[in-house]
Amino acid sequence: MSSTTPANLPQGSISAPIDRSKLTFSEVHQQVENEKRKAETELESVSDNSNPNAASWIEQAKQLQNDIQESKTVAQEIFKKAEEANAIHSRQEDAAQKVDLLQAEVDFTTALDQILQRLKNTDGLLRSLDRSINEGRLSDAVDQHKAVEGDLAQLNTVRRSFAVSVLSQRADQAQHRFKQEIDNIWGHLFKVNIAESEVCVPENFKGYNSSQVLTWSDVARAASELGVLDEHVSAMGRGLDKALFEPLLSPRHIRSSIKPQVHTSQHTLRLREADGQIDTPRMFEQLLSCVEFLNERLPRTVIDPLQASLMPDVTSRLISSYLTNVIPLSLSSLEHHQHLLDQTESFAQNLSSLRWGNPVILKEWAGQAPKVWLAKKREVSIGSVRDILSTGLQNRKSVERVETQEISRGDVLANTDMDAEAWDTDWKEGDEALEEEEDTSAWDAGDTDKDRGAAQSPWKRNDRLPDDNHENEDDAWGWGDEHKQGVPSSPVKKRKMNDKVNGEPEHQAASTKELTLRETYTITGVPDEVQEIVFQLIRDAQTLREPGYQKYPASSAALGLYSVPTLVLAGYRAIAANSYQRIDGGNMLLYNDCMRLSEELAAFVKELQEKDEASGQPRSAWPSTRMKLENDIVALQGFGRRAYGREMESQRTIIRDLVDGAQGFANCTEAPFADECDNAVAMTIDHLRSVAKQYQTILGRNALLQTLGSLLSTVTNKMILDIEDMSAIGDEESKRLRHYCNEICKLGDLFTQEREEGAKEEVTALYTPDWIKFQYLSEIMESSLADIRYLWTEAQLKLEFEAEEVVDLVEALFADTTHRRQAINEIRQR
């Protein structure tokens, strides 16, 4: 204890110091307790004196302490009871687990018993199923198979157990045997012999036990249960189609005089060939007899999937192979066409009543009669062109072209006594061939005419050719052949007598006269037959628009018929190139045929336009406006000209190759080059004469002369260039070259014409460009310097040669002397 005395405590309350060394521990402790109580008493007294409420506070604190103590007691009791409840819950859980374990044991035992019972039942069902299959009891087998499937499904939880695996294998084996049995029975109930076109469908089948009769319903039910019904029905549909419907509707049989006919017996349906025609009602009757035969013997469970798989193909074949082929196309048979549509709709209704097929397809076909009729008309027309090209090319006939033209008195022809056939030669300067690809010529492409003398018609003065700038033509159907045209000038017009006399132009009266030109040429039988197809199509279109034909469905196709001639002519152009290549002179015959056909079509269009103008109808209703043949005529002419151009280019290529065999005539007097030059010239002459002989039977006289003139011009141009390219020509060489030129000049006998008085006249120069130049070249080969100077100054040599050309020839032929230099200077000065 501290010796310090608090200031607020009374001094008298402090006890005197105690000698603690003489006290025991218990005594000390007792004294401390006494002092503590005294201090507390004094403290309470002081507190009471300082705060009168302290006593009540103390009382409340004690009460609170007592409440806390009671709460602790209650909490301990609650905790004790909770511990007791946990012990009870633990004992309850332990008891529940024991109950669950016992229940699981009971359930397992029950399930095991059920599984064992089900295994036993399944084993018994499988044994019964085997017996039913063996005895042919399909109904029992179906039920037992169902039960086995159900039991095995319930045993799915133990499917990996040995017992269930064994039963599953036995079930699979039984099902396989069941399917085999169904296949075997189905094969007895449905027998098909495709080779004999025979089908046997008995109503039932006696199984292995004679007392057991199996019907189609039993077999269908079993097949459905096993999931093989669709497979068998599909096979049945294929067999019926191959054995009956396909031969019955075959286009080969339809076109033959021997037709298959349906015969039915008690269980058999067969086709047998018989003479005579089978009309549409008879065909529908036979199809219905097949359907009724099957309806009487098969249950709906088989018929429904059978007709669903079979009838779409049968209906499609009926339309494409039979109905479309029997559509009458002539206008006299439109009544029969109407009957065909009525019979088709009636047949569709009968099928619907029998619950076979979809009648909508046949009804839609009948409802589209105008469109179908037009499509068939188009198909037959184009097919006829193909047939004509395969047969008509062997026929030949001569036709005459007549043209009347007016010429002025100033024309060469009007001022000469030349025969009328020489009038329209229409040759042009230059010998270039048409630059076009062979593989596009048949498709109306690349219509160029760089060599106008070859590309344009060798007959008509004003034949209009496609513009040179159109290199990319449309395809073989000829769309877009209405491009801008260019009119080539006539060579006759170039030769007007407009020379000056004494420096003044010669004025002559512009008087004219008519000249009728006639020419005979050869064509095949194709143009007449093709134009007849076109004319018949247009006549049919006009007839269908008459009031008496409005009641027929085909009358709605009248406008569509006007477009078919375009397709016919396009088909002709697409096929003709290859067809004509198989005959001699094919390209020239193709040219003649195209020109003939285009002329006939143009005359027909003109005649039709005149009738339309006189009819008083609006222009939009004119047949001549609707058919739009003008573009096809232009395309046909261009196609013919391209054939002519191809032939000319081919011949020019051959001729150039032959002339090239002379190797430019260099060393033409030395072996072995001399023989090569001789052979080249001889072969070229022989080839030109052979071509003339071949073309003579095809082309008209005027066209023949122009064609030969163009080919001969290829020879002369080539030889002129080769000779001019020779830097030195010796005396022997000049003689040899003169000989070659003279041999070529002998071809002039191909260009002789008879005058009215019987005299013959050679007109080679009129048809062969550079012919006079070639003859001058022949003269130059053996002429002296004086002769050449005379030809240049006094004759017409300067009209054919340029001054430098003559100078080059002089330098090649003569040595460098004063006379040669004087001659050269004189030639250049003039």
Side-chain angles (χ1 to χ4, degrees):
M1 295 292 292
S2 176
S3 60
T4 305
T5 303
N8 57 349
L9 294 178
Q11 294 296 323
S13 62
I14 302 297
S15 301
I18 300 174
D19 186 4
R20 295 182 179 85
S21 61
K22 296 180 179 181
L23 297 175
T24 63
F25 178 76
S26 60
E27 292 175 347
V28 172
H29 181 267
Q30 183 66 36
Q31 287 181 3
V32 170
E33 288 294 329
N34 293 335
E35 290 297 329
K36 178 180 178 181
R37 282 193 293 272
K38 287 181 182 180
E40 290 177 352
T41 304
E42 290 177 359
L43 180 61
E44 290 177 357
S45 175
V46 171
S47 297
D48 291 340
N49 294 329
S50 62
N51 189 357
N53 296 325
S56 62
W57 290 350
I58 293 172
E59 186 65 29
Q60 292 177 359
K62 290 180 178 179
Q63 183 63 37
L64 178 61
Q65 187 175 8
N66 293 333
D67 292 339
I68 292 172
Q69 189 64 35
E70 290 178 0
S71 297
K72 289 181 179 180
T73 303
V74 172
Q76 289 176 356
E77 291 178 355
I78 292 173
F79 178 76
K80 183 178 180 181
K81 291 180 179 180
E83 289 293 332
E84 293 175 353
N86 288 337
I88 295 173
H89 182 67
S90 177
R91 291 195 298 273
Q92 182 182 3
E93 287 182 351
D94 184 58
Q97 291 177 357
K98 293 178 179 179
V99 170
D100 291 341
L101 179 61
L102 292 176
Q103 184 64 41
E105 292 291 336
V106 172
D107 293 342
F108 173 77
T109 303
T110 303
L112 181 61
D113 180 66
Q114 292 176 352
I115 290 172
L116 294 176
Q117 287 295 331
R118 192 165 288 113
L119 290 173
K120 180 179 179 181
N121 292 339
T122 304
D123 178 70
L125 287 172
L126 287 172
R127 295 177 186 275
S128 300
L129 177 60
D130 289 337
R131 287 194 298 272
S132 298
I133 293 173
N134 293 333
E135 296 172 1
R137 294 181 285 109
L138 295 187
S139 296
D140 294 341
V142 168
D143 296 337
Q144 291 159 1
H145 180 267
K146 262 187 189 180
V148 169
E149 292 290 330
D151 285 349
L152 289 177
Q154 293 181 359
L155 291 173
N156 190 46
T157 55
V158 290
R159 62 182 179 277
R160 297 184 179 179
S161 64
F162 178 75
V164 175
S165 299
V166 171
L167 290 177
S168 297
Q169 292 178 1
R170 289 177 57 192
D172 292 340
Q173 294 172 358
Q175 182 174 354
H176 180 69
R177 290 182 57 240
F178 198 3
K179 288 182 178 180
Q180 288 181 332
E181 185 68 14
I182 294 298
D183 294 344
N184 185 29
I185 297 172
W186 194 285
H188 284 85
L189 286 175
F190 179 78
K191 299 178 181 179
V192 58
N193 188 337
I194 296 177
E196 297 294 331
S197 295
E198 184 175 294
V199 175
C200 181
V201 187
E203 296 179 357
N204 51 52
F205 168 69
K206 290 186 178 181
Y208 306 103
N209 184 359
S210 59
S211 62
Q212 186 69 36
V213 178
L214 300 176
T215 65
W216 270 104
S217 298
D218 298 332
V219 178
R221 177 170 176 261
S224 178
E225 173 63 28
L226 292 175
V228 295
L229 180 61
D230 291 340
E231 177 183 347
H232 283 292
V233 169
S234 297
M236 176 187 286
R238 291 192 297 270
L240 288 169
D241 191 35
K242 292 290 185 182
L244 298 177
F245 295 106
E246 185 174 335
L248 185 62
L249 299 173
S250 172
R252 177 176 60 86
H253 287 154
I254 293 173
R255 291 189 292 267
S256 174
S257 59
I258 299 177
K259 309 291 185 182
Q261 297 186 17
V262 177
H263 296 272
T264 60
S265 61
Q266 183 179 2
H267 302 301
T268 306
L269 190 64
R270 63 173 63 89
L271 288 183
R272 291 294 179 263
E273 292 184 347
D275 295 336
Q277 297 293 327
I278 298 180
D279 55 9
T280 303
R282 176 61 179 158
M283 176 61 73
F284 288 155
E285 181 182 341
Q286 293 191 91
L287 292 174
L288 286 176
S289 66
C290 295
V291 172
E292 291 171 351
F293 176 86
L294 296 173
N295 258 8
E296 292 173 359
R297 287 159 179 78
L298 300 178
R300 293 308 307 182
T301 52
V302 175
I303 288 178
D304 289 340
L306 176 62
Q307 64 87 20
S309 64
L310 175 63
M311 288 308 292
D313 291 338
V314 173
T315 303
S316 176
R317 190 179 295 113
L318 173 64
I319 292 174
S320 61
S321 298
Y322 182 79
L323 292 178
T324 303
N325 287 323
V326 299
I327 293 176
L329 297 179
S330 64
L331 301 190
S332 59
S333 302
L334 291 182
E335 191 70 32
H336 178 62
H337 183 221
Q338 182 62 54
H339 291 162
L340 173 64
L341 300 178
D342 295 339
Q343 292 158 4
T344 302
E345 292 185 351
S346 176
F347 174 69
Q349 190 63 35
N350 291 332
L351 285 180
S352 179
S353 64
L354 293 172
R355 296 167 64 187
W356 271 73
N358 186 1
V360 176
I361 298 176
L362 288 173
K363 290 182 178 180
E364 286 180 350
W365 180 86
Q368 296 175 351
K371 182 179 179 181
V372 174
W373 185 86
L374 179 61
K376 182 64 178 178
K377 190 80 169 178
R378 183 189 304 118
E379 176 187 351
V380 171
S381 299
I382 298 175
S384 299
V385 174
R386 183 173 55 252
D387 297 338
I388 290 170
L389 285 172
S390 63
T391 59
L393 291 177
Q394 304 305 322
N395 302 326
R396 300 286 190 277
K397 63 180 292 188
S398 296
V399 294
E400 185 180 49
R401 178 187 288 118
V402 179
E403 181 178 356
T404 300
Q405 295 184 0
E406 289 188 357
I407 61 173
S408 65
R409 187 176 298 277
D411 287 342
V412 171
L413 188 61
N415 289 277
T416 62
D417 294 329
M418 187 181 300
D419 185 31
E421 287 185 350
W423 153 247
D424 191 21
T425 59
D426 202 14
W427 54 267
K428 299 287 180 288
E429 294 294 331
D431 192 36
E432 293 82 3
L434 285 172
E435 296 182 359
E436 58 177 337
E437 293 291 338
E438 179 65 23
D439 58 354
T440 61
S441 59
W443 301 97
D444 288 349
D447 199 3
T448 61
D449 59 340
K450 291 185 178 180
D451 183 1
R452 293 178 295 175
Q456 67 192 18
S457 167
W459 164 252
K460 295 191 71 174
R461 175 176 181 176
N462 289 327
D463 276 345
R464 303 173 70 85
L465 299 179
D467 187 31
D468 291 344
N469 295 328
H470 297 293
E471 296 181 358
N472 295 323
E473 294 279 348
D474 291 296
D475 57 15
W477 302 102
W479 313 129
D481 281 336
E482 65 274 18
H483 295 308
K484 179 180 177 182
Q485 307 294 312
V487 182
S489 58
S490 170
V492 177
K493 290 183 179 180
K494 290 183 179 180
R495 297 172 179 259
K496 289 279 187 173
M497 303 295 292
N498 55 1
D499 295 338
K500 294 183 179 181
V501 180
N502 297 326
E504 297 295 331
E506 179 183 358
H507 298 282
Q508 296 185 359
S511 61
T512 61
K513 66 177 180 179
E514 272 194 358
L515 182 65
T516 300
L517 307 175
R518 296 179 182 272
E519 185 175 48
T520 301
Y521 60 99
T522 301
I523 63 172
T524 68
V526 172
D528 291 345
E529 296 187 52
V530 172
Q531 76 182 29
E532 180 57 31
I533 293 176
V534 173
F535 294 166
Q536 186 60 48
L537 287 169
I538 296 173
R539 286 194 294 267
D540 288 349
Q542 292 174 309
T543 304
L544 286 175
R545 298 181 64 192
E546 296 177 0
Y549 287 86
Q550 296 303 309
K551 61 182 179 180
Y552 299 117
S555 63
S556 301
L559 295 179
L561 276 181
Y562 285 115
S563 64
V564 179
T566 294
L567 299 178
V568 170
L569 296 175
Y572 170 74
R573 297 195 303 274
I575 305 172
N578 290 331
S579 299
Y580 281 82
Q581 290 296 329
R582 294 193 287 267
I583 60 177
D584 294 335
N587 279 324
M588 289 304 182
L589 285 170
L590 176 56
Y591 168 77
N592 284 350
D593 287 354
C594 288
M595 294 300 107
R596 172 70 174 181
L597 184 56
S598 63
E599 289 169 4
E600 293 296 318
L601 292 175
F604 177 77
V605 171
K606 182 178 179 181
E607 179 183 355
L608 196 59
Q609 287 175 343
E610 292 174 354
K611 291 181 180 180
D612 291 340
E613 291 173 357
S615 65
Q617 295 179 346
R619 187 178 184 85
S620 60
W622 289 0
S624 59
T625 303
R626 293 182 182 277
M627 61 186 179
K628 299 178 180 179
L629 283 179
E630 292 82 358
N631 296 337
D632 298 305
I633 293 172
V634 172
L636 200 59
Q637 292 172 344
F639 182 64
R641 294 188 187 108
R642 285 190 293 277
Y644 179 86
R646 287 196 304 274
E647 180 67 16
M648 294 297 292
E649 176 61 19
S650 175
Q651 295 298 336
R652 288 192 185 95
T653 301
I654 295 173
I655 290 172
R656 292 190 190 100
D657 291 342
L658 291 175
V659 178
D660 280 340
Q663 300 181 10
F665 297 99
N667 303 318
C668 62
T669 58
E670 299 178 5
F673 303 106
D675 293 337
E676 293 180 1
C677 293
D678 292 345
N679 291 335
V681 174
M683 292 174 65
T684 301
I685 294 172
D686 291 343
H687 180 73
L688 280 173
R689 292 191 179 277
S690 175
V691 170
K693 184 178 180 180
Q694 182 185 47
Y695 290 171
Q696 188 175 7
T697 60
I698 299 174
L699 298 174
R701 181 63 181 171
N702 180 64
L704 175 64
L705 294 179
Q706 178 180 343
T707 301
L708 295 178
S710 179
L711 297 179
L712 181 56
S713 176
T714 302
V715 178
T716 57
N717 287 340
K718 176 65 176 171
M719 293 186 66
I720 290 172
L721 292 176
D722 288 345
I723 293 174
E724 287 181 347
D725 287 342
M726 298 176 67
S727 59
I729 303 175
D731 185 56
E732 293 298 325
E733 287 180 322
S734 64
K735 292 179 181 179
R736 198 66 182 170
L737 292 174
R738 172 67 184 271
H739 169 71
Y740 293 150
C741 292
N742 290 339
E743 291 297 314
I744 296 297
C745 288
K746 291 179 182 179
L747 291 173
D749 61 4
L750 298 175
F751 298 86
T752 58
Q753 290 185 345
E754 290 187 4
R755 303 287 297 272
E756 294 180 357
E757 59 273 13
K760 291 186 177 181
E761 179 182 12
E762 183 178 317
V763 291
T764 312
L766 188 61
Y767 290 93
T768 307
D770 293 335
W771 179 249
I772 297 178
K773 181 178 182 179
F774 183 74
Q775 290 179 320
Y776 272 125
L777 178 65
S778 176
E779 293 292 333
I780 291 174
M781 289 297 100
E782 286 193 316
S783 296
S784 63
L785 276 174
D787 294 335
I788 295 175
R789 188 164 53 234
Y790 174 80
L791 292 174
W792 181 260
T793 58
E794 303 299 333
Q796 303 297 322
L797 182 61
K798 64 176 62 177
L799 298 180
E800 304 297 335
F801 282 88
E802 297 291 337
E804 290 303 320
E805 289 183 284
V806 178
V807 169
D808 291 340
L809 288 172
V810 169
E811 290 177 347
L813 287 168
F814 302 99
D816 187 11
T817 63
T818 303
H819 294 292
R820 192 186 80 170
R821 289 193 292 271
Q822 290 177 353
I824 290 175
N825 290 333
E826 187 173 354
I827 290 172
R828 285 175 173 167
Q829 290 173 0
R830 295 193 181 186

